[in-house]
């Protein structure tokens, strides 16, 4: 009888730790899925930029430096995102994404500041539509980033709390997508009115 009770206790403990392991796997997959949503929105943002640059080229012929800077920043952001796709949650990957998106946001800000000096560009229907789509995408990126950071926090909390920490040896900590500068926390201001 004592052997049966001991066996039931051991089986209960094993099932409990299997549940902890499965919970950690589920949380890890949750933050990876949340990063995939950031990927979708950033890819959409990156895909809008060449159209925006092409629209602006005709009006900003003597502002080639700004247009080239936007294209270079966009390419760097695409490369940073591509590198992070295989390693969501890793600190270095999240840092590369944040830095490249910051640089892209800054160059887009210069482009939008320039368009203020060109009333024809400001009134261009395609430019207005692309700018509105870009602003909408910026909001989606912010929401996706928030969801990702929440999923990372849930995962990290699960792996660090006791008794989960006993099982979490093979589960490295995930890094949230942090944006250090306050100006980077806001979507670029786009106004064509």
């Amino acid at each position: 009888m004592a052997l049966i009770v001991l066996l039931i206790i051991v089986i209960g403990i094993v099932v409990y730790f299997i549940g902890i392991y499965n919970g950690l796997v589920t949380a890890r997959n949750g933050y990876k899925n949340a990063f995939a949503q950031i990927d979708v929105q950033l890819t959409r943002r990156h895909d809008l930029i060449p159209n925006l640059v092409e629209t602006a080229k005709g009006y900003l012929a003597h502002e080639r430096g700004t247009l080239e800077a936007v294209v270079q920043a966009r390419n760097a952001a695409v490369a940073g995102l591509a590198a992070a796709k295989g390693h969501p949650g890793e600190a270095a990957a999240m840092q590369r994404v944040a830095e490249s998106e910051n640089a892209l946001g800054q160059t887009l800000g210069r482009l939008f500041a320039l368009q203020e000096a060109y009333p024809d560009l400001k009134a261009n229907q395609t430019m207005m539509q692309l700018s509105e789509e870009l602003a909408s995408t910026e909001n989606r990126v912010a929401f996706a980033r928030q969801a990702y950071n929440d999923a990372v926090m849930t995962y990290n909390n699960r792996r660090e709390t006791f008794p989960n920490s006993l099982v979490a040896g093979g589960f490295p900590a995930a890094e949230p997508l942090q944006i250090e500068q306050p100006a980077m926390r806001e979507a670029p201001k786009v106004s064509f009115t």
Side-chain angles (χ1 to χ4, degrees), residues 71-88:
V71 170
Q72 289 173 351
R74 182 244 182 219
N75 292 342
V78 168
L81 182 60
K85 283 181 190 179
H87 309 286

Side-chain angles (χ1 to χ4, degrees), residues 50-60 121 124 126-127 130:
N51 295 332
L52 195 66
V53 169
E54 283 301 315
T55 302
K57 270 185 183 177
Y59 296 95
L60 304 175
L121 177 59
N124 181 288
T126 303
M127 188 71 167
L130 289 169

